[in-house]
Amino acid sequence: MKREQFSSSLGFVLAAAGSAVGIGNLVAFPVMASKNGGAAFLIMYAFFVFFICLPVMLAEMSLGRHTRQNPLGAYTEIGQNRAWRTVGWMSVITPFMIGVFYLVITVWIFGYLAKSVMGQLNELAAPDSFGVFINSNELFIYMAVVIGLTFLILQGGVKQGIEKASRILMPMLFIMLIALVIYVMTLDNAMLGVKFFLIPEFDKLTGKVLNGALAQAFFSLSLAMGILITYGSYIQKNNNIVHAGKMVAGLSVLVACCSGLLILPAVFSFNPDIQLSELSESSIGMIFMFLPKIFLALQADIGYFGASFIASFFFLLVFFAALTSLVSIIEVPVCSLMDGKGVSRRAALYTLGGAMIVLSVISALSFGRVELFSNLLSYGGLDKSFFDVVYDIFYETILPLNGFLLCLFVIYRWKKHNLDAEISQGNSTFAGSVLQKYVNFSLGTFIPLILAVIFVNTVSTIFFGKNLLF
Ligand code: PHE
């Protein structure tokens, strides 16, 4: 069977940007930036994106396009031994498991969207509403809808499914984001939020903050999850990988900045005297507990209907972002199963979908409903739920490990000259350029080193309760 392809470089850029732009850019980034030095954080974040993440991104895309394979196939074909094949397996299982927790969060977002549309914003803004919602039965209806939509997109394949959805959803997402930014700027005290976001405070950039910024950049660009290897395997040979990679990285940073200009002005117009400590710790707290209150407060100006409209608009925006990310992450195991076993897309979707539904239901039940799942394990001095365990193992721990192994694989196993040759196809100026030297050097030296340090420190912090670095 001929491998499916994106119709053009733009098709790939939109699909990869769809993967990159997610809850991370829209919510986690503004929360982190506002707490950790504003523009100073932004500058460091952009620096990490272009100097550390971009080379990894180019490596993944090239590996995919060269082998025309999913990550497991790519590691197996070039690695030629059992150890590398195991790494290939990790690159397929990781996105599958991250997909499980990302699906649960996407379902929550969809639920909040549905409830705002149905006029229940006042309920969402009530103090215990989130806790009640995540343990409600209606959650499973929302889960069915989200899974249905994701399947529908993936069933369409690369061009008619993934690319088409991205071509529709991504431009809408950009327009909605800009419209919301313009709207919040008209609110009283919005400028306080802009100032808060944009005034740099370099003394806040501690080692811990920098580690957080790098982890955020890495996650946000969908690295080390096999996504860019898989999407890379659908890129045409004459497309310019460097150009496409820069576009995706740039779009991701741009959306993160715009989102800061949306969320912080909204927070400050709600309460101009807000203190740093009152800003929610996590993006989950921000989206599901803090923002509904802010939206509801808008009713003083624009009435309940207006406030519900703005809330729905915002949740729709986040939902689009999350859906395209979810699609990209599930495509990895789907593609692996299709390549590896020669089964049809539909069969792969049903098999993996079934397993994913079971695990997602278990995750959804692990917030207090079922004792076994809610207190699954205890490590690092804390009790952990099934959801926490999946998050800690796959997102926090294996992601940097996969990144580390990928760098070693590309530079020392596949070899630099093969990487260069692949990137040079469709880019005649790459060979001999400063970028080429930088990519080769960084991927073989300090990038894997940094990822290895993060990995070791994460294991020690999470599982043994001892932070070695900070
Ligand atoms: N880039 C996504 C985000 O920022 C992260 C992600 C990508 C998660 C793909 C899952 C799948 O939210």
Side-chain angles (χ1 to χ4, degrees):
M1 222 167 49
K2 200 173 166 290
R3 196 170 191 77
E4 297 177 88
Q5 283 194 337
F6 289 117
S7 63
S8 63
S9 186
L10 181 67
F12 165 79
V13 169
L14 287 174
S19 175
V21 172
I23 304 164
N25 310 55
L26 288 177
V27 190
F29 175 81
V31 173
M32 286 177 104
S34 57
K35 295 204 149 202
N36 298 314
F41 184 88
L42 176 62
I43 293 168
M44 283 320 295
Y45 180 79
F47 176 84
F48 288 146
V49 164
F50 287 100
F51 288 91
I52 296 192
C53 297
L54 188 63
V56 180
M57 201 170 172
L58 298 179
E60 287 202 30
M61 288 160 69
S62 316
L63 187 60
R65 189 174 72 170
H66 174 78
T67 55
R68 288 262 174 259
Q69 295 252 24
N70 65 86
L72 175 58
Y75 274 105
T76 308
E77 182 182 308
I78 296 176
Q80 296 283 338
N81 65 34
R82 193 170 281 181
W84 285 121
R85 190 169 162 78
T86 310
V87 180
W89 270 108
M90 270 169 39
S91 315
V92 175
I93 294 171
T94 307
F96 180 80
M97 294 305 290
I98 291 183
V100 169
F101 88 73
Y102 209 78
L103 172 66
V104 174
I105 299 177
T106 309
V107 170
W108 295 342
I109 290 169
F110 182 71
Y112 269 51
L113 165 63
K115 281 167 130 2
S116 333
V117 171
M118 292 186 297
Q120 298 170 9
L121 180 61
N122 47 1
E123 208 178 283
L124 296 180
D128 296 331
S129 137
F130 181 59
V132 174
F133 172 75
I134 59 176
N135 282 319
S136 65
N137 289 337
E138 63 182 316
L139 191 79
F140 295 99
I141 302 175
Y142 302 130
M143 187 180 271
V145 178
V146 172
I147 291 176
L149 276 173
T150 311
F151 271 43
L152 209 66
I153 296 175
L154 284 172
Q155 177 57 40
V158 175
K159 224 180 265 179
Q160 290 303 320
I162 299 172
E163 181 175 334
K164 199 165 170 189
S166 311
R167 278 185 188 267
I168 299 170
L169 297 179
M170 292 312 286
M172 279 172 74
L173 185 148
F174 293 131
I175 293 170
M176 289 171 76
L177 181 59
I178 292 169
L180 272 178
V181 170
I182 294 174
Y183 171 70
V184 296
M185 290 298 170
T186 66
L187 299 175
D188 292 343
N189 296 315
M191 279 308 139
L192 287 178
V194 175
K195 264 198 214 142
F196 190 75
F197 179 51
L198 290 182
I199 291 181
E201 287 182 273
F202 285 97
D203 52 340
K204 290 237 171 100
L205 296 180
T206 58
K208 194 167 172 195
V209 168
L210 291 179
N211 184 353
L214 177 58
Q216 172 62 21
F218 211 75
F219 175 68
S220 200
L221 288 177
S222 310
L223 299 179
M225 304 188 204
I227 294 174
L228 289 166
I229 301 181
T230 309
Y231 276 15
S233 75
Y234 306 138
I235 306 179
Q236 296 175 13
K237 283 285 182 192
N238 58 358
N239 291 161
N240 186 333
I241 288 184
V242 175
H243 185 66
K246 283 184 186 161
M247 290 275 289
V248 175
L251 282 173
S252 174
V253 174
L254 193 68
V255 169
C257 290
C258 288
S259 186
L261 293 176
L262 161 66
I263 297 209
L264 290 160
V267 168
F268 276 82
S269 80
F270 173 70
N271 177 4
D273 301 317
I274 195 147
Q275 299 299 316
L276 256 187
S277 54
E278 293 174 58
L279 274 178
S280 63
E281 240 348 286
S282 66
S283 46
I284 299 289
M286 185 68 158
I287 324 180
F288 299 109
M289 294 175 218
F290 206 61
L291 289 178
K293 280 191 218 142
I294 296 183
F295 293 133
L296 186 65
L298 293 174
Q299 68 178 343
D301 271 352
I302 51 177
Y304 188 68
F305 182 81
S308 303
F309 178 79
I310 297 289
S312 309
F313 203 77
F314 175 79
F315 285 117
L316 186 63
L317 165 78
V318 182
F319 178 63
F320 283 171
L323 186 64
T324 43
S325 297
L326 191 60
V327 161
S328 72
I329 206 156
I330 302 182
E331 174 65 8
V332 180
V334 168
C335 166
S336 308
L337 197 58
M338 286 163 60
D339 287 350
K341 296 269 176 256
V343 299
S344 68
R345 186 168 268 281
R346 183 178 291 266
L349 270 171
Y350 281 128
T351 318
L352 290 163
M356 199 143 196
I357 290 170
V358 172
L359 292 172
S360 305
V361 169
I362 295 180
S363 302
L365 293 175
S366 76
F367 299 97
R369 276 191 119 172
V370 175
E371 173 60 22
L372 172 68
F373 304 144
S374 307
N375 280 318
L376 189 67
L377 292 174
S378 185
Y379 48 74
L382 298 168
D383 286 335
K384 303 275 185 167
S385 68
F386 178 80
F387 185 88
D388 295 332
V389 173
V390 171
Y391 183 87
D392 284 350
I393 295 185
F394 292 95
Y395 167 66
E396 294 271 16
T397 313
I398 303 210
L399 219 53
L401 177 64
N402 278 352
F404 164 75
L405 292 167
L406 176 95
C407 296
L408 298 190
F409 182 70
V410 165
I411 296 296
Y412 300 108
R413 182 77 199 190
W414 188 30
K415 300 275 188 304
K416 290 178 186 164
H417 64 268
N418 289 316
L419 172 69
D420 292 344
E422 187 59 42
I423 299 182
S424 296
Q425 285 197 48
N427 182 346
S428 52
T429 55
F430 184 70
S433 65
V434 178
L435 181 66
Q436 180 213 358
K437 292 189 183 81
Y438 180 74
V439 168
N440 279 335
F441 176 72
S442 62
L443 283 176
T445 52
F446 63 89
I447 296 179
L449 186 68
I450 291 172
L451 292 170
V453 171
I454 293 184
F455 167 69
V456 171
N457 192 45
T458 308
V459 172
S460 160
T461 308
I462 295 186
F463 299 99
F464 301 98
K466 236 195 187 71
N467 193 320
L468 303 173
L469 291 180
F470 322 110

